Amino acid sequence: MTKSNITTAGIDTSKAKLDIAVHDRAERWQVTNDLAGWRSLVASLAKSGVTRVGIEATGGYERGVVEHLRAAGFIVLLLQPLQVKAFGRVHLRRAKNDALDAILIAACAAAVDPPEIAPDPRLTELADYLTFLEQIEEDIKRFKNRLEHIDEPALRRIVNSDIARLKARKAAQIRDIAKRLRGHGDLAKRLKLVLSIPGIGERTALAIVIRMPELGCVSREEAAALAGLAPFAADSGQHRGQRKIAGGRSRLRRSLFAAALPAAFRWNKALVALYGRLTAKGKAHNAALIACARKLLIYANTVVQRGTPWTENAA
């Protein structure tokens, strides 16, 4: 990687404030994490000649300032906490406070390349609705687990009523997300292509399209890695370790894994054959399902890349 004359700043985010540092300079300051603070931040960054900003994902507290900075024309790199932490370890930076974190984030942002595919604000908005849907599904699972430990009929009726209510809300939420997505012609086309794959229903298709804006623009290996479904080697010398998956977009991975079971047992002939071959070779059930989930994503990436629906020989 070659050095450039791009001036980079790092932002450490909390609920109430933002700590800012400019890479390789002594400039440090702090603003409130609200509209007034964002406006002040834009003016200060422009005055310092900053064009690229790194910010660590912090569970949503960064969302407002990220949108504001992008609207103002800045290149914003949304860094994962693991990236920043690993960068700090490599450079032996152990001291930690908000100001030092901003310095570390600035250095990390200066060292990495910006994404080739710009974030799609439409998908960012839809992701919020999808997250709410996933939370409803998690609530349903909790109530079902609770039901297993309740014997009193009156209490069971209450829990069953809550489950029914949440299931109705889940169905309504899926319809609402699909309607919002289909309001955009290009996204509607993408969704239709993904839905042409046997074994991928509307719920899974929505997760793929929304959680992977890069769909159709990356290689099959890159798509699998983004979802955390690519097996990583664990070899050293003569030792050959077991391949494992790690990292990636966990919510997307869970959606694909949930779809892989019925697809590999019934709905997708290519996956039924794949699952059979893998288990016949002695692969564990979970390992075979992970391979099937990876294939589902690869199929989705392929149909969007080609712009044509799934055909049986696409496998």
Side-chain angles (χ1 to χ4, degrees):
M1 186 180 299
T2 58
K3 288 189 176 181
S4 69
N5 58 359
I6 295 174
T7 304
T8 304
I11 300 177
D12 182 69
T13 314
S14 64
K15 183 177 181 179
K17 64 182 178 66
L18 305 170
D19 284 270
I20 304 97
V22 179
H23 181 54
D24 278 344
R25 294 189 193 171
E27 296 174 62
R28 315 276 185 270
W29 72 96
Q30 190 181 93
V31 298
T32 54
N33 192 4
D34 54 25
L35 184 57
W38 305 337
R39 287 172 175 167
S40 172
L41 174 62
V42 166
S44 298
L45 291 174
K47 185 178 179 181
S48 298
V50 172
T51 56
R52 179 192 292 182
V53 179
I55 188 167
E56 190 177 34
T58 53
Y61 291 135
E62 79 290 346
R63 194 168 301 160
V65 66
V66 167
E67 292 176 1
H68 194 83
L69 289 172
R70 282 175 175 161
F74 291 92
I75 299 170
V76 181
L77 279 65
L78 188 60
L79 304 172
Q80 296 303 310
L82 185 63
Q83 284 179 280
V84 179
K85 188 175 182 179
F87 185 86
R89 284 179 174 174
V90 168
H91 292 83
L92 302 178
R93 301 190 184 186
R94 296 185 177 182
K96 180 176 174 60
N97 58 42
D98 293 343
L100 291 175
D101 285 346
I103 296 170
L104 180 62
I105 292 168
C108 183
V112 301
D113 295 323
E116 295 181 3
I117 300 171
D120 189 333
R122 301 171 303 171
L123 294 178
T124 302
E125 180 182 354
L126 287 168
D128 289 339
Y129 289 94
L130 184 59
T131 298
F132 181 62
L133 169 63
E134 291 162 347
Q135 290 167 345
I136 293 171
E137 292 169 340
E138 290 164 5
D139 288 339
I140 292 172
K141 185 182 295 185
R142 277 193 289 269
F143 274 108
K144 286 184 175 180
N145 289 338
R146 186 178 301 170
L147 195 62
E148 293 180 1
H149 303 283
I150 297 175
D151 296 322
E152 176 60 42
L155 296 178
R156 290 184 66 85
R157 283 194 297 271
I158 293 172
V159 176
N160 278 319
S161 175
D162 287 335
I163 292 172
R165 173 178 52 81
L166 287 168
K167 284 183 175 180
R169 183 176 294 172
K170 172 186 172 180
Q173 188 69 9
I174 291 174
R175 290 193 298 269
D176 179 61
I177 296 171
K179 182 180 178 181
R180 290 174 185 274
L181 190 147
R182 288 190 172 102
H184 307 283
D186 58 329
L187 297 181
K189 181 181 178 181
R190 204 179 302 175
L191 180 67
K192 185 177 180 180
L193 289 169
V194 175
L195 280 169
S196 71
I197 302 168
I200 295 183
E202 190 171 54
R203 167 65 180 84
T204 307
L206 289 171
I208 293 172
V209 172
I210 294 171
R211 297 289 187 202
M212 186 162 283
E214 305 89 347
L215 199 67
C217 300
V218 293
S219 68
R220 54 192 289 162
E221 294 82 9
E222 289 170 326
L226 286 170
L229 288 169
F232 289 93
D235 302 337
S236 180
Q238 298 298 317
H239 174 72
R240 293 294 178 266
Q242 184 179 4
R243 269 57 174 166
K244 295 181 180 180
I245 60 172
R249 298 169 189 174
S250 58
R251 289 185 179 274
L252 172 60
R253 184 170 60 253
R254 284 196 294 269
S255 294
L256 287 163
F257 195 74
L261 181 62
F265 277 71
R266 180 176 181 182
W267 299 113
N268 191 299
K269 293 179 181 178
L271 292 189
V272 171
L274 174 64
Y275 181 87
R277 288 196 304 272
L278 292 174
T279 52
K281 290 179 180 178
K283 293 289 185 181
H285 168 74
N286 273 3
L289 276 189
I290 289 169
C292 291
R294 181 167 59 249
K295 278 291 186 181
L296 276 180
L297 181 59
I298 289 171
Y299 294 159
N301 190 60
T302 300
V303 295
V304 173
Q305 203 168 55
R306 294 175 178 174
T308 55
W310 164 273
T311 55
E312 284 298 331
N313 61 1

